[in-house]
Amino acid sequence: PARVEYIYKKKSITRRTSTAHSAGLSIDIRLVARLEKMQSVTLRAPSAMPARVGTVSRARRAVKVCAASSVQTQTVKIGTRGSPLALAQAYLTRDLLKAQFPHLAEDGALEIIIIKTTGDKVLGQPLADIGGKGLFTKEIDDALLDGRIDIAVHSMKDVPTYLPPGTILPCNLPREDVRDVFISAKYNSIDELPDGAVVGSASLRRQAQLLARNPTLKVVNFRGNVQSRLRKLQEGDCDATLLAYAGLRRLDLADKATSILSEDEMLPAVAQGAIGIACREGDEGPMDLLAALNHESTRLSVVCEREFLKALDGSCRTPIAGIAKENADGKMHFRGLVSSLDGSRVVRGEGVADMNEAAVAELGRTVGAQVRAEAGEDFLDWSNADA
């Protein structure tokens, strides 16, 4: 099959079209109709095909068609943060694109662009004190909207429940293990921690669930990338820490885990273990690439969990956890919680829905509304009381 490469505002996209025959080249008229606003189309066939040139006119514009011996692809720029984990996720995305689209395996077809975010620069304060989750995405969103990158790779648990106008998030890669891990050189589990032990964590979700088990524990702010937190632990800054198992696995550091916590012991963060890839709304080239990478079961789980978070007006000042999973019977099962900062009050909810976007979104909203109602009108007051 031949390939059509069409250019609009200097953006190049490759897609399959009608077969080039020895008697000439043909283009599906429906494809031409979709290119009304585009100024030129170049059809390149394999080198064995004779070169022919033709012209198709539509909507008072000439669409030029020609055959050539090779396919040229404009560089697709992948935006990411610069932490080791963020880069590992960007490299994974790059490798999946290469495997799915052979023309992107050519030299220069893909480029990773590192973007430093405010959240990467300010490490000495809790996220809640410096603006919340958007701190890890704003600069990347700006680069996407400005055209400096074509797609943006995110850890989904860092992405706010709103997206900047002009951007969409159509793709989630297959989800990693959602569980948290306990790491300590002194103790084998949370239950072994003595009263008054110091646990390093910047997560209010982990803090609340730890204190619900043992209110004597002292939880201290513990930010930075995975490697820096492991180093601080080794240097004796705290007795133990908790990290996402997904991050350790992606960094080949799974052996650092002392024990893996069940979801009953520590309910995960909303969208934990999920990678999301964003692009510009209406930008068909990147949208087509991401459609091929999307893992629909993961995407629907993330939709459900984020709707739960949105229903609770969740922020980095609110200890919220939630996990949605497809059951063996093909249904989506969700359970979530919201807690006071000290873990003294925890409200839980759960539900089941069919596996389609409308149903799972409604499931997240419904459980969120139920939890909010059970917590009472002063919900935000008590969940933020000591923030």
Side-chain angles (χ1 to χ4, degrees), residues 14 41 66 73 91 112 114 134-135 156 176 184 194 242 274 282 289 293 329 380:
T14 15
V41 163
C66 64
T73 306
Y91 294 146
I112 291 177
I114 296 174
L135 294 171
M156 280 305 303
E176 250 292 359
S184 175
L242 304 182
L289 298 179
L293 297 190
D329 61 359
L380 287 178

Coordinates of all heavy atoms in Angstrom, one line a residue, residues 14 41 66 73 91 112 114 134-135 156 176 184 194 242 274 282 289 293 329 380:
T14 N 1.5 10.9 8.4 CA 1.4 9.8 7.5 C 0.2 8.9 7.8 O -0.1 8.6 8.9 CB 2.7 8.9 7.6 OG1 3.3 9.2 8.8 CG2 3.6 9.0 6.4
V41 N -0.8 17.7 -0.7 CA -0.8 16.2 -0.4 C 0.3 15.6 -1.3 O 0.3 15.8 -2.5 CB -2.1 15.5 -0.6 CG1 -1.9 14.0 -0.7 CG2 -3.1 15.9 0.5
C66 N 1.8 13.0 -6.1 CA 3.0 12.5 -6.8 C 3.6 11.3 -6.2 O 3.3 11.0 -5.0 CB 4.1 13.6 -7.0 SG 4.8 14.1 -5.4
T73 N 9.3 11.7 7.2 CA 8.4 11.9 8.4 C 8.9 13.1 9.2 O 10.1 13.1 9.5 CB 8.3 10.7 9.3 OG1 8.0 9.5 8.5 CG2 7.3 10.8 10.4
Y91 N 10.6 7.2 27.5 CA 11.3 6.2 26.7 C 10.4 5.1 26.4 O 10.4 4.5 25.3 CB 12.6 5.7 27.4 CG 13.7 6.8 27.6 CD1 14.5 6.7 28.8 CD2 13.9 7.8 26.7 CE1 15.5 7.6 29.0 CE2 14.9 8.7 26.9 CZ 15.7 8.7 28.1 OH 16.6 9.6 28.3
I112 N 12.8 13.5 22.3 CA 12.3 13.7 23.7 C 12.7 15.1 24.1 O 13.9 15.4 24.1 CB 12.8 12.6 24.6 CG1 12.1 11.3 24.3 CG2 12.5 13.0 26.1 CD1 12.5 10.1 25.1
I114 N 12.9 17.6 27.3 CA 12.7 17.7 28.7 C 12.3 19.1 29.1 O 12.9 20.1 28.7 CB 14.1 17.4 29.4 CG1 14.5 15.9 29.1 CG2 14.0 17.6 30.9 CD1 15.8 15.5 29.6
G134 N -1.1 20.8 39.7 CA -0.8 21.4 38.4 C 0.6 21.9 38.3 O 1.1 22.2 37.2
L135 N 1.4 21.9 39.4 CA 2.8 22.3 39.4 C 3.6 21.4 38.5 O 4.7 21.7 38.1 CB 3.3 22.4 40.8 CG 2.7 23.5 41.7 CD1 3.2 23.3 43.1 CD2 3.1 24.8 41.2
M156 N -0.4 10.0 35.5 CA -1.7 10.4 35.6 C -2.1 10.9 37.0 O -3.0 11.8 37.2 CB -2.7 9.3 35.2 CG -2.9 9.2 33.7 SD -3.4 10.7 32.8 CE -4.9 11.1 33.7
E176 N 0.5 -0.1 35.3 CA 1.5 -0.9 36.1 C 0.7 -1.3 37.4 O -0.4 -1.0 37.7 CB 2.7 -0.1 36.4 CG 4.0 -0.5 35.7 CD 4.5 -1.8 36.3 OE1 3.9 -2.4 37.2 OE2 5.5 -2.3 35.7
S184 N 12.2 0.1 54.5 CA 12.9 0.4 55.7 C 14.1 -0.5 55.9 O 14.0 -1.7 55.5 CB 11.9 0.2 56.9 OG 12.6 0.4 58.1
P194 N 7.6 1.0 65.6 CA 7.3 1.3 67.0 C 6.5 2.6 67.2 O 6.6 3.4 66.2 CB 8.6 1.3 67.7 CG 9.6 1.8 66.6 CD 9.0 1.2 65.3
L242 N 7.2 5.2 52.2 CA 6.3 4.5 51.3 C 6.4 5.1 49.9 O 6.5 6.3 49.7 CB 4.8 4.6 51.8 CG 4.5 4.2 53.2 CD1 3.0 4.4 53.4 CD2 4.9 2.8 53.4
A274 N -0.7 4.7 36.3 CA -1.1 4.9 35.0 C -0.4 6.1 34.3 O -0.1 7.1 34.9 CB -2.6 5.3 34.9
G282 N -7.8 18.3 18.1 CA -8.0 18.5 16.7 C -6.7 18.2 15.9 O -6.7 18.3 14.7
L289 N -1.7 8.6 16.3 CA -0.6 7.8 16.9 C -1.0 7.3 18.3 O -0.8 6.1 18.7 CB 0.7 8.7 17.1 CG 1.3 9.2 15.8 CD1 2.5 10.1 16.2 CD2 1.7 8.1 14.9
L293 N -1.9 3.4 20.6 CA -1.2 3.0 21.9 C -2.2 2.9 23.0 O -1.9 2.3 24.1 CB -0.2 4.1 22.3 CG 1.0 4.3 21.4 CD1 2.1 5.2 22.1 CD2 1.6 3.0 20.9
D329 N -15.9 -10.6 35.5 CA -17.2 -10.6 34.7 C -17.3 -9.5 33.8 O -18.4 -9.3 33.2 CB -18.4 -10.6 35.7 CG -18.4 -9.4 36.6 OD1 -17.5 -8.5 36.4 OD2 -19.3 -9.2 37.4
L380 N -15.2 19.5 53.5 CA -13.9 20.2 53.1 C -13.3 20.8 54.3 O -12.0 20.9 54.4 CB -14.2 21.3 52.0 CG -14.5 20.7 50.6 CD1 -14.8 21.8 49.7 CD2 -13.3 19.8 50.1

